[in-house]
Amino acid sequence: MSLTLTITLPFGRYAATPWGKHVNEGAVEWPPSPWRIVRALTSSWHNHHRGLAESPVLDALGLLCGAPRYHLPPSGNGVTRHYMPASDHTSGHAISTDLVLHAFRATAPDASLHVEWPVQPTDGQLDILGQLASTVSYLGRAESRVVLAVSVTTPPIETGLEPVPAGTLTSSGTIRLLVPDKPLDLDSVHQRSADLRRLGRSDPPATTWVDYPVIETIPVRRVDRPSPTITVMQFAIVGRGRPGIVEAALLADTAKRAITSRSKDRATLHGHGENGGKRRDGHRHAHYLVRNDRSGARADTLIVWAPEGIPTASVADLADLNRLFVPEHLRKRLGASIDLALEIVGTEEQLDPALTSESRTWTTVTPFTTRRHRKRRQSRDDFLQDAIRRDLRHRQLPSRPDEVEVETSDAPASGSPSQSASRFYRSRRLGRDQQHDGTHVRLTFTEPFTPQGLLALGSLSHFGLGLFVGDER
């Protein structure tokens, strides 16, 4: 019987710099050394299991003080390069970039490796090791996610990776792994690299280097896969003095101006057709939508949603957008600037489920507006009903009275964090003089309805108004 530690790599990547190497040497400690494993379990004890007494923990960890046998999955080396900005601390401006290598070992997702020590633990020792292993989330660098499990197994018939006698040469060469000596020296485990350098040591005390054969590497080849279409970029509106939700249309227009200035000639974002005319694309160009916080008073989210997809070059242009500068004539309403923080780059499925999930009832967060002309003898309610159903039909959504019930009101729906529709401001540039006052809308479908993307209706649906959320979630 053997004590076996199973290390599962959920993302198929393992990144750890070998002891005595610099991160920019591009080396990877594969497989994980017993020294690294013992230190990870010790850290788990100190951080998550302080109630465990020291003596039984040291007895359990002492079982791992020896050269184990490894059973490894197929893997290969990989590396990415990152240019990190180095800033002048006095001015805050980037003055240079430093090249940083991120080396890793790549396996299949959820692949597992097994580390086997030829010892027989007691039930108490196995329980302690299991507790410590259950709260280890990474080995090596923090992005090197792992799931650990401890068990007692019968050694497999096939031979694993075993240590070779010191000084022995193999056809493929050898690698060195650091192994803690018996009995386990807890003070040595606690020492940091900086502490050892101050003491003039290169290796931690009470440890031994053990040679293993070099593992066969499977070359990592680049596989070109079609990139998923990015349809959504969501920004959090942060900082003090956030605009009110009643300024949603002005905020959306300001955001559109800033975004289109960064990505010129992107028809998806600016919404213009040939020769500057309107696009006839079924509203598949970009919508600039605004959500509010729980109090209903302040805007806290800006969503750029383009059903036909945001060009990759535009995504790169907008990724570092962190501030909107407001024209002087709008500063009384929006403030001098609006701070943003990028939250989501992806698809509609990553947004708040209230915007995208199935629901029978949908209500407006920001009011519906229309530029249609009201007939002389037509009541306001009949006019709005007709305009809303026309817009639903235009977007190929259920619109008949037997498919959806339409209710309109100046007041937001009960429980909604929105504001009265009459309080929402629209500038002349957005056609204020050509539009009727906005109205809040409640749509109740006969059957549960799932929008294709987001549900936004009305003449200013591309400028923050007419956004719906589902009530059943």
Side-chain angles (χ1 to χ4, degrees):
M1 301 294 286
S2 298
L3 172 64
T4 300
L5 176 69
T6 300
I7 305 174
T8 302
L9 305 173
F11 302 135
R13 286 196 177 191
Y14 171 80
T17 303
W19 188 274
K21 297 285 188 179
H22 189 273
V23 63
N24 266 17
E25 293 185 50
V28 181
E29 182 191 77
W30 179 259
S33 68
W35 178 250
R36 185 180 301 279
I37 292 170
V38 167
R39 282 167 61 92
L41 293 174
T42 303
S43 175
S44 173
W45 170 40
H46 290 313
N47 288 298
H48 303 288
H49 305 281
R50 297 178 183 177
L52 295 176
E54 179 176 316
S55 179
V57 170
L58 290 182
D59 288 342
L61 292 176
L63 299 176
L64 311 183
C65 295
R69 172 191 292 182
Y70 292 93
H71 302 272
L72 304 175
S75 63
N77 291 322
V79 64
T80 58
R81 298 168 179 263
H82 306 267
Y83 291 88
M84 309 296 290
S87 300
D88 179 358
H89 70 278
T90 58
S91 66
H93 298 301
I95 57 177
S96 64
T97 55
D98 295 329
L99 172 62
V100 177
L101 298 182
H102 171 51
F104 57 90
R105 194 79 176 188
T107 68
D110 290 321
S112 296
L113 61 113
H114 306 279
V115 190
E116 176 193 330
W117 287 268
V119 296
Q120 178 65 48
T122 65
D123 291 342
Q125 291 170 333
L126 190 65
D127 180 65
I128 289 174
L129 291 175
Q131 290 185 58
L132 301 182
S134 67
T135 49
V136 174
S137 59
Y138 67 91
L139 277 179
R141 290 198 284 274
E143 64 269 25
S144 182
R145 294 293 181 176
V146 297
V147 177
L148 303 188
V150 180
S151 62
V152 176
T153 60
T154 301
I157 297 176
E158 66 271 13
T159 302
L161 189 71
E162 298 195 31
V164 298
T168 302
L169 296 178
T170 65
S171 58
S172 59
T174 59
I175 56 173
R176 298 195 312 160
L177 297 178
L178 199 57
V179 177
D181 294 338
K182 295 181 179 180
L184 181 64
D185 183 348
L186 191 58
D187 291 336
S188 175
V189 174
H190 289 160
Q191 283 190 322
R192 301 175 302 170
S193 300
D195 299 330
L196 295 174
R197 285 194 295 269
R198 282 196 295 269
L199 295 173
R201 298 182 61 101
S202 58
D203 299 334
T207 59
T208 303
W209 288 102
V210 177
D211 291 329
Y212 283 82
V214 171
I215 302 99
E216 179 184 359
T217 298
I218 299 175
V220 177
R221 297 181 177 88
R222 177 175 176 176
V223 179
D224 291 325
R225 297 184 177 90
S227 300
T229 301
I230 294 173
T231 56
V232 165
M233 295 185 72
Q234 177 174 298
F235 298 84
I237 303 172
V238 297
R240 301 177 62 184
R242 290 178 292 135
I245 187 63
V246 294
E247 315 294 351
L250 291 182
L251 176 55
D253 184 43
T254 302
K256 180 184 177 182
R257 286 169 172 262
I259 288 171
T260 53
S261 70
R262 284 172 169 251
S263 295
K264 300 183 186 301
D265 302 324
R266 304 289 183 192
T268 293
L269 295 177
H270 60 56
H272 293 165
E274 296 181 3
N275 302 319
K278 293 183 179 180
R279 297 188 69 189
R280 305 295 181 183
D281 60 1
H283 295 277
R284 296 188 59 77
H285 57 284
H287 298 65
Y288 300 86
L289 304 171
V290 178
R291 291 284 308 273
N292 52 340
D293 57 25
R294 293 181 180 179
S295 69
R298 299 290 174 182
D300 68 351
T301 305
L302 171 67
I303 302 171
V304 182
W305 171 52
E308 69 182 3
I310 303 173
T312 303
S314 297
V315 173
D317 292 337
L318 305 184
D320 61 349
L321 178 64
N322 55 24
R323 179 168 294 178
L324 300 178
F325 293 97
V326 180
E328 187 171 352
H329 67 283
L330 296 179
R331 290 182 179 178
K332 287 185 178 180
R333 291 186 171 274
L334 299 180
S337 63
I338 301 167
D339 294 328
L340 303 176
L342 181 62
E343 290 184 314
I344 295 174
V345 177
T347 61
E348 298 88 340
E349 288 76 12
Q350 296 171 258
L351 296 176
D352 181 353
L355 293 167
T356 59
S357 297
E358 181 182 82
S359 178
R360 289 186 66 250
T361 306
W362 293 81
T363 57
T364 46
V365 174
T366 52
F368 170 93
T369 59
T370 180
R371 293 191 181 190
R372 297 193 62 79
H373 179 68
R374 178 178 169 184
K375 297 179 181 178
R376 180 179 299 177
R377 296 183 179 180
Q378 192 176 28
S379 69
R380 183 173 185 273
D381 184 64
D382 289 343
F383 166 70
L384 291 173
Q385 287 262 350
D386 180 63
I388 294 166
R389 292 186 189 278
R390 280 176 177 267
D391 213 16
L392 287 168
R393 187 162 56 250
H394 177 64
R395 297 176 191 242
Q396 299 180 343
L397 301 175
S399 60
R400 300 195 312 268
D402 62 332
E403 295 176 322
V404 57
E405 178 185 352
V406 178
E407 302 172 67
T408 61
S409 172
D410 181 67
S414 176
S416 170
S418 189
Q419 300 288 309
S420 171
S422 60
R423 295 189 59 195
F424 281 76
Y425 179 79
R426 291 161 289 153
S427 66
R428 288 187 176 87
R429 181 176 180 276
L430 295 177
R432 180 180 65 187
D433 297 336
Q434 304 171 30
Q435 299 173 26
H436 295 266
D437 292 337
T439 183
H440 280 295
V441 180
R442 182 183 182 90
L443 301 176
T444 304
F445 292 88
T446 305
E447 299 293 335
F449 170 75
T450 303
Q452 298 299 314
L454 305 182
L455 182 58
L457 303 175
S459 57
L460 290 181
S461 59
H462 292 266
F463 292 90
L465 299 188
L467 175 64
F468 286 76
V469 296
D471 287 352
E472 299 172 8
R473 44 186 191 276

